Amino acid sequence: EGLAYAAWLSVYGEGEQQRLAAAFVEYILKRAEKDGNDVLEKVKEIIEEGRSWGSLKLEDLKDSEIVVEVNGRRYVVKVKGGKAVEEEQDDRKLLRIKIKAEVICVGDGCIVDRVEREYTITFNRYGANNRVEGFAYASANAPGGREADAKILSALVETLTGKKPAIRRMKNGNIQIVCYRGHLEGFMHYAELVETILKWLKETSR
């Protein structure tokens, strides 16, 4: 994690911070060369991952569409933007990923309907191993109700992070979308989100 962060700073840092990060990355690469190809390839993989953080922009997705079909209805989802914010709650520091999207219902029997929504995934640290998990709940008031909203949010997360989240259907009728560390790392590829995510990970690490 520290090496990936240094690799990110070597590209997106400023002044002396960027210079020191670049020197550190170069030093680690030279050390890895002495430890064999397996170690070197792993180090290169970590460095490339760090350098890719912040390389994308949510605003560049405005012209793309995510299509979701639920119960014969077709929903077209367009990303409109997003942000990451930190919040204090019950002496815990939470990270909220907020993605603004336009949901257009165009399926059979559905009058064309456009609704702009802000989906929020709240990340926290849990357990003895301080694992990262994020949760969001489908809305009963969304176009198509909870079931459609859950599938739309799942498709949105998978499109942005490259990983499908888990969907939990609760006994009380609620539907929970669950994200993990890999999803958060996927969100780190976006310039609008990466700095706040890295700050939160550092502040909540042990």
Side-chain angles (χ1 to χ4, degrees):
E1 186 172 299
L3 176 57
Y5 179 61
W8 176 75
L9 284 176
S10 73
V11 178
Y12 299 101
E14 296 181 358
E16 184 69 2
Q17 184 186 53
Q18 184 182 44
R19 188 190 69 77
L20 290 173
F24 174 73
V25 170
E26 187 64 26
Y27 169 75
I28 294 297
L29 275 172
K30 289 181 179 179
R31 285 285 302 271
E33 288 174 354
K34 299 178 181 179
D35 294 327
N37 287 333
D38 289 345
V39 174
L40 180 59
E41 288 305 311
K42 182 61 178 177
V43 166
K44 286 182 177 179
E45 180 183 322
I46 294 170
I47 290 172
E48 286 307 307
E49 173 65 16
R51 286 173 175 168
S52 71
W53 294 345
S55 60
L56 304 175
K57 289 185 177 181
L58 290 169
E59 65 180 32
D60 292 337
L61 302 176
K62 287 183 178 180
D63 294 329
S64 62
E65 297 180 346
I66 303 165
V67 179
V68 181
E69 292 192 10
V70 185
N71 298 327
R73 291 184 176 182
R74 186 166 171 262
Y75 298 87
V76 177
V77 186
K78 296 183 178 182
V79 176
K80 294 294 184 179
K83 60 183 178 180
V85 297
E86 289 184 290
E87 293 182 8
E88 295 281 350
Q89 183 176 303
D90 299 328
D91 296 325
R92 305 197 74 176
K93 191 179 291 291
L94 306 179
L95 173 70
R96 300 194 195 278
I97 303 294
K98 298 175 180 285
I99 304 296
K100 186 178 291 185
E102 182 183 44
V103 180
I104 307 167
C105 179
V106 294
D108 292 342
C110 176
I111 299 173
V112 174
D113 189 17
R114 292 174 180 265
V115 177
E116 192 165 286
R117 293 205 57 211
E118 185 174 72
Y119 291 95
T120 301
I121 305 164
T122 301
F123 284 88
N124 201 350
R125 296 277 197 172
Y126 297 92
N129 62 353
N130 206 32
R131 71 184 183 277
V132 171
E133 287 187 8
F135 300 92
Y137 288 87
S139 172
N141 298 321
R146 284 195 182 98
E147 193 63 38
D149 199 44
K151 291 185 178 180
I152 288 169
L153 179 52
S154 176
L156 188 61
V157 169
E158 184 177 8
T159 298
L160 295 178
T161 69
K163 297 179 182 296
K164 184 177 293 187
I167 297 179
R168 294 176 184 166
R169 291 170 173 81
M170 321 294 280
K171 290 182 179 179
N172 62 3
N174 286 335
I175 303 179
Q176 187 183 63
I177 286 77
V178 188
C179 296
Y180 302 99
R181 177 62 178 257
H183 297 98
L184 191 60
E185 291 175 351
F187 284 125
M188 287 164 62
H189 288 90
Y190 297 93
E192 297 94 334
L193 310 176
V194 61
E195 289 191 45
T196 302
I197 295 174
L198 286 170
K199 181 172 176 285
W200 179 79
L201 284 171
K202 184 177 180 179
E203 290 173 347
T204 58
S205 64
R206 291 177 183 170

